[in-house]
Amino acid sequence: MNQNKSYFVQSFTIFAVSIAAFLVFKSVLPKKLFSESTVDSKNVVIDSLLLEALEEDKNATDGDTLSNQPISFTAVDGITFPDEKYEDYKGFQHLVQFYEKLFQLETKHEGNVRIAYFGDSMTDGDMIVQDFRSNFQNKFGGQGVGFVNITSESAASRNSIKHEFSGNWKTQSYLNVKKPRSPFGVNGHVFFANDTANVEWVKYKASKLQHLSELYNPTLFYGKSNNKSGKVAFKVGNDTIYKKLSPNKLVNTLVVGNTTKSLKLDFINADSIPVYGMNFDDGKGVHVDNFSNRGNSGLPISTFNAQVMRQFHEKLGYDLIVLHYGTNVLNYGSLNYTWYEKRMKRVVDHLKECFPGVAILVVSTADKATKYDMEMKTDSAVVPLTKAQKKYAIQAQAGYVNLYTLMGGDGAIVKWVEEVPAAANKDYTHFNYRGAKKISGMIYDQVYSGYEQFKRLRANRKQAKPVVKIDSVSIKTDSVHVE
């Protein structure tokens, strides 16, 4: 009995000392400890250009001049959006040409509109983007999932298409390869069927979601090579069809059969031919391509080969490029993101060179929480990063969506995690499908509100009549109202 009492006293003493030690050390520990993350670290990839930028610009200074002045716009096609305050900047003016394409589609049912949506793990597995696509297709028409990679790390979690592939593909990504064997495709990847002993294959199956129930006009995109003997094989009914690959241009296309529910391609003698992916769309309405990469900061886009991108642009015809980044840029020991602002401004400039005439929309980082004094709160880096993203959007003449404020601002992600049913995961960073749908709706609603404003401005715009010459005398006619 005495022995048991002695053990109890010793245990209680150890417990009391531990509590006292914790209280002493708590005062000297940093307030910010760690985020509650359930993300598998093996799936977290940080692009090499981000790491280089951090090393080169760790002493960058912030010379803020934008927040103290109103933002005025130059008319495009006779349309000028009202001046904006820095705090409320949306930049709809820079989406005018995109809005005009939507207007023609809506009123005359002519042409089609295409959007490239670049993102990180927030859009992995077509999260956010599949609902963004659906919103546009519900309003403006369009069938098909768009461009899909040959291989994908998120294929198993994607609901908008079933995607399988053999394990012997050679993949190069712009996240970690500076000098690929052949230029990267518009998806930031290039794939090679270099296993000559075995056939490489890829298989796609349409989902049951609205607008995505067929693989519309399946078209293979591939690059240039000296290999003239490559071909693909696929089945139509009980017949096997063989089609030759002709890798003569920087970007080549091959229509693979007709619209179907499922498709499996075998690549035969195709080694050294760069393969980019498949496109599925009906050529009408709106199409949205999801180019997501885990660990991407957005900086690798600067490595795109302009000539190759222009050929992709000729074939696909983009009208809007969305840049949705930030998750992988937070938390690198500094709240000064001037280095990121400068580099992403150059990324947008490069995109305008690669895709002439395309509008750009910047979507900011969402809210993210970290543990401070044992309580989950908005990370201190979130607001400084959103400001840097807004600054580069303004400087690069791009539209801007502040996802952090749309979510509810300070502490929003904590509410999204703890509400019932939850809209975000326990890592206090990523959204579940319910939250992704809400986020998609917020982004779409802001873009569409700009479109509604565009239509009002368009209806009331004035354009000068052309100068008329009579007997060598120039007569300038009055301005006229244009419907």
Side-chain angles (χ1 to χ4, degrees), residues 79-230:
I79 296 172
T80 309
F81 277 80
D83 291 358
E84 292 190 88
K85 295 180 180 179
Y86 169 82
E87 293 79 9
D88 305 318
Y89 177 77
K90 295 183 176 66
F92 293 143
Q93 179 70 48
H94 305 304
L95 306 184
V96 165
Q97 291 176 318
F98 166 66
Y99 287 150
E100 179 63 28
K101 288 291 294 289
L102 285 180
F103 184 78
Q104 297 300 322
L105 189 58
E106 181 181 28
T107 58
K108 299 181 180 179
H109 306 289
E110 293 178 355
N112 58 77
V113 172
R114 196 173 199 99
I115 301 171
Y117 201 118
F118 290 90
D120 50 28
S121 57
M122 301 299 282
T123 56
D124 201 39
D126 220 14
M127 297 279 278
I128 297 177
V129 182
Q130 73 176 36
D131 295 305
F132 187 72
R133 180 189 301 112
S134 179
N135 287 334
F136 270 103
Q137 292 182 336
N138 287 340
K139 175 64 179 177
F140 298 96
Q143 305 285 332
V145 72
F147 199 98
V148 184
N149 284 5
I150 294 297
T151 76
S152 170
E153 60 192 354
S154 62
S157 62
R158 184 167 183 171
N159 291 330
S160 54
I161 190 170
K162 186 175 181 181
H163 180 196
E164 299 176 273
F165 43 86
S166 60
N168 53 344
W169 283 95
K170 172 69 176 177
T171 301
Q172 291 190 315
S173 166
Y174 64 177
L175 261 67
N176 45 40
V177 177
K178 285 186 178 180
K179 296 180 180 180
R181 289 174 48 190
S182 293
F184 297 119
V186 67
N187 51 357
H189 288 76
V190 58
F191 307 93
F192 295 95
N194 282 348
D195 184 357
T196 55
N198 300 280
V199 171
E200 289 85 353
W201 57 267
V202 60
K203 184 188 299 183
Y204 305 95
K205 184 177 181 180
S207 74
K208 296 181 180 180
L209 298 177
Q210 186 181 17
H211 309 300
L212 307 179
S213 59
E214 301 276 355
L215 300 178
Y216 298 91
N217 301 318
T219 304
L220 176 69
F221 280 69
Y222 60 103
K224 189 173 185 177
S225 171
N226 293 324
N227 179 357
K228 308 301 180 184
S229 60

Side-chain angles (χ1 to χ4, degrees), residues 2 26 89 98 119 182 192 197 243 247 273 277 290 307 344 387:
N2 289 336
K26 182 176 182 292
Y89 177 77
F98 166 66
S182 293
F192 295 95
K243 287 206 172 185
I273 298 178
N290 181 3
Q307 285 183 295
M344 285 303 291
K387 290 181 177 179

Side-chain angles (χ1 to χ4, degrees), residues 21-71:
F22 172 77
L23 294 175
V24 170
F25 285 112
K26 182 176 182 292
S27 62
V28 298
L29 286 171
K31 289 185 177 181
K32 179 176 177 179
L33 294 175
F34 50 85
S35 62
E36 289 191 354
S37 175
T38 58
V39 177
D40 189 346
S41 61
K42 70 182 180 181
N43 287 329
V44 178
V45 181
I46 303 298
D47 68 69
S48 59
L49 287 181
L50 172 61
L51 299 177
E52 288 180 10
L54 287 166
E55 183 61 29
E56 290 175 9
D57 282 0
K58 56 187 176 185
N59 297 318
T61 57
D62 184 4
D64 183 13
T65 58
L66 290 174
S67 58
N68 299 322
Q69 51 188 313
I71 301 165

